[in-house]
Amino acid sequence: MKKLILKFGILTAIVSLFACSDEEMATHQESQNTKVSITDAPIDNAEVSAAFVTISDVKVNGTSIEGFTKTTVDLMQLQNGNKKLLGNIDLNATSVSNMSLVLDYDQDVNGNAPGCYIKTANGMKHELKSSLKEFKIKDKADIFLSDANELVIDFNLRKTIMENQQNPNDNYDFVSNTEMSAGLRFVNSLETGSISGTVQDQNNTSDKIIVYAYKKGTYNSNEAKEQGTSKIRFANAVTSSAVSSTGNYTVSFLKEGDYEFHFASYEENNLSGEMEFKGMLEVTSLSAIQTDFLQVSSNLNLSLNVIIKGRVNG
C-alpha cells in the first residue's frame, strides 16, 4: 500500500511538472498587443526645413500592422525622443527580426504629388524616390510579457538622404537601396535608455554640433570621412542628435549596452545653406560619466554634460 501511495505521489508530481511547463508555454504563446511607432535622427543641413515621407504599409514578421492607414509624416518633427504612433500588432513573446516600411513616392495622404520630398527653407519641394518601395529593416528586438511593448522605427535622415548638386530643381535624393536599409533600425522601447545633456561651446567653434552615438569600440577616424556610394559620414553611428541653440541634446532609444559619444563641428555655407563638416571636437565631461564609456540600461536616462575645449580640423 505504501509503495502504491509513493508511486501515485511521484506520478502526481510529474503530471504537475508537465502541467506547469504547458502553462508557462501557453503564457509565452499568448499574444502581446504591441505598438509600432516611428522616430528620426537629424539631417546635417540647415537649408532643410522639413522631410516628408508617405508610408503606405508597415509589416512585422510579414504581417501588416492593425489600425494603420496611409500616412504622411514630417520626420523633422520626430527628433529628440518624439515619435508618432503608426498602429498595433499582436505578437507572441519572442524576438522580432523581420520588419519593413512600404513608401509611396507618387502621392501623399491627401493625393498630392510627390509622396516623399524634402522641403527647403525657400519653400521648394525636392522629390525623393528609389527603385524600391519596400525597405526591410535589418535589426532584432525582443517582445516581452507586457502590455507596454512598443517597436520604434528610427528613420535616420542623415543616413538616408543625400544631396544631388547636378539638378538645381531637385537637390536631394534617397541613398542607394543598401544604404537605405542600413539607415533604418528598430528597437523595443522597453529595451532602451536615453542620454541627454548640455554642450558648452564658449569659444563658438561651430554653427552646429552633432552628437554621434557609437557602440563601444566601433569608432575610428575614418568614420569622419565620406564613405560609400552616397558619401555618408559617420555611417556606423547607431544614432545621433543635433545640439540645440541653447546647448541641449537628447540621444534617444539606445538599446542596452556600452557606448561612446563623439562630437562633430559644422559650419554653414552662406551660399548654399549647407552645413559643412569642419572637424571633430575635443570635449571634457563635466561629470563622472565619460564620453568614451557610457553604460545604457533599460528605462535609464543618463546625463552627460560637456564643455568644448577645441576643434580638430577635418
Side-chain angles (χ1 to χ4, degrees), residues 4 37-38 72 82 94 113 190 204 216 241 245 255 281 284:
L4 181 60
S37 302
I38 190 167
T72 301
N82 294 318
T94 181
L190 291 179
N204 295 319
K216 176 68 177 172
S241 175
S245 58
K255 204 166 184 177
L281 293 167
T284 297

Side-chain angles (χ1 to χ4, degrees), residues 178-193:
T178 301
E179 291 168 324
M180 187 76 172
S181 292
L184 301 169
R185 70 180 182 112
F186 68 87
V187 294
N188 187 339
S189 62
L190 291 179
E191 295 183 289
T192 68

